[in-house]
Amino acid sequence: MADKQYPLPQLHGVLVLDKPSGPTSTRCLTAIKRLGQKKIGHAGTLDPLAAGVLVVLLGEATKIAPYVMEGEKTYLGALRLGVTTDTYDSEGTVTSQAPWDHVSASALAEAIASWTELTSQEVPPYSAAKHQGRPLYELARKGLAAPVKVKDISVFDARAESVDLPSATFRVRVSAGVYIRSLVHSLGMRLGCGAIMTALTREESRPFALTQAHSLDAVLADPQSLPERIIPLDKALPHWPTTTLGPAAADDVRRGIRVPVTGDFAPGTHALLVDETRLPLALARAEAMGGRLRWAIVRGLFGDPQPARRGGNDAPATNNTP
């Protein structure tokens, strides 16, 4: 196999993958892991049915997962009325069927648009959310009861792209962690006929878009090109400001010492700290201390900061996220 012939060193950065429909996200990551990428993670999984943007984090980039995962997501999806399944999508076992001919095209379009009014949703029983440490899908497959979990959500935009009853396509922009198949399932319940999701493509996981993505087949067919496909860590958070530290300040940050903020930054601002070679040092937050702003480290990179040996305002920052 190509990955055995061309082992690669551990890379550090973001691979925007165009996940195909069918394999699990874990299977996709396992394939890339075999290219020598032992330290690997992702910033938000996709169901097997779903395709599109899967943000793969390599090496030190795995440490920034919480800050990448929090971005808004945009999806293009498809649904069909008149049926429900245990998974809320077309890959599940049918649990009911009902007439849908009382629903007009305009009513379906309005129901999709009304997703923007939702502030919470039920977590699907077949999901990776956990109850007492066990994934819900594991409990569901064994027929074990689990409490219904409800989570807060935000739907910023939702609209029907086309309606051809009993089917429709839609585009939706949501906060992180929203289950699109749950939106479809609840729509079917409100319309009194049931509905399932039949296709889904994640077009954007901000700040990364499908136009930047590389297909899994292309990556595996040419492993030696993987380094060229990686977004380096110092550019992995384009929505964050970057500030360059001199040698002395960089050394302090490596030891966990809060260094003075230079430049025009407001209290609470998050930034990526890099040294003069552009090597990322830490994710930091500007905090007022002793009458001036200092960078409080929220996540060390390329070796977490070591405990400082000074006291006072130079005491080491914690690595807790904000």
Side-chain angles (χ1 to χ4, degrees):
M1 292 178 62
D3 54 316
K4 292 183 179 179
Q5 297 173 11
Y6 303 102
L8 296 168
Q10 178 68 62
L11 302 172
H12 305 278
V14 173
L15 172 66
V16 184
L17 194 68
D18 183 0
K19 175 193 171 296
S21 177
T24 63
S25 297
T26 298
R27 182 179 170 188
C28 293
L29 264 64
T30 298
I32 297 170
K33 188 174 184 178
R34 294 190 182 120
L35 304 182
Q37 305 310 298
K38 302 303 182 184
K39 192 173 183 179
I40 189 170
H42 62 76
T45 188
L46 283 171
D47 291 335
L49 174 66
V53 174
L54 178 64
V55 180
V56 179
L57 306 172
L58 302 174
E60 291 294 291
T62 57
K63 297 177 180 179
I64 69 172
Y67 309 97
V68 179
M69 291 178 70
E70 65 189 12
E72 296 175 3
K73 322 293 182 187
T74 300
Y75 297 90
L76 177 65
L79 61 83
R80 184 169 76 248
L81 300 177
V83 62
T84 63
T85 68
D86 54 359
T87 60
Y88 300 173
D89 62 25
S90 55
E91 296 197 325
T93 300
V94 173
T95 55
S96 71
Q97 293 180 296
W100 53 265
D101 50 1
H102 62 283
V103 180
S104 66
S106 60
L108 179 52
E110 289 173 5
I112 291 171
S114 71
W115 284 340
T116 58
E117 301 170 8
L118 299 177
T119 58
S120 64
Q121 70 174 182
E122 291 186 2
V123 175
Y126 281 84
S127 69
K130 293 184 177 181
H131 171 62
Q132 296 181 343
R134 301 176 67 182
L136 293 184
Y137 66 77
E138 180 181 307
L139 299 175
R141 287 171 181 168
K142 294 181 178 181
L144 301 176
V148 175
K149 290 181 175 290
V150 177
K151 65 183 301 182
D152 294 334
I153 65 169
S154 296
V155 180
F156 306 110
D157 185 48
R159 62 183 183 277
E161 295 292 335
S162 66
V163 178
D164 184 13
L165 294 171
S167 300
T169 61
F170 59 86
R171 181 168 276 108
V172 60
R173 180 168 57 89
V174 299
S175 57
V178 174
Y179 291 94
I180 308 304
R181 51 196 166 101
S182 280
L183 294 179
V184 172
H185 177 75
S186 64
L187 174 148
M189 295 298 99
R190 292 197 304 276
L191 293 177
C193 59
I196 58 171
M197 187 179 73
T198 56
L200 189 70
T201 298
R202 184 190 281 163
E203 297 181 316
E204 186 176 25
S205 180
R206 288 190 178 181
F208 305 108
L210 193 55
T211 54
Q212 301 170 266
H214 304 273
S215 75
L216 180 62
D217 285 346
V219 171
L220 299 181
D222 185 12
Q224 292 299 97
S225 71
L226 182 58
E228 302 168 9
R229 303 177 190 271
I230 301 300
I231 298 172
L233 189 51
D234 67 319
K235 297 180 180 177
L237 293 169
H239 52 307
W240 282 40
T242 299
T243 185
T244 303
L245 303 180
D251 184 58
D252 279 347
V253 167
R254 290 188 183 98
R255 292 187 291 151
I257 297 172
R258 300 185 179 194
V259 299
V261 172
T262 58
D264 187 18
F265 294 101
T269 299
H270 285 83
L272 173 66
L273 308 184
V274 301
D275 67 13
E276 292 180 323
T277 69
R278 297 291 296 181
L279 179 71
L281 301 170
L283 306 180
R285 181 178 57 246
E287 293 185 354
M289 298 184 64
R292 68 177 305 179
L293 288 181
R294 291 179 179 270
W295 289 119
I297 298 167
V298 295
R299 194 63 169 97
L301 302 170
F302 284 100
D304 286 328
Q306 298 299 310
R309 298 182 181 277
R310 308 179 201 172
N313 289 340
D314 289 332
T318 65
N319 282 332
N320 295 330
T321 55

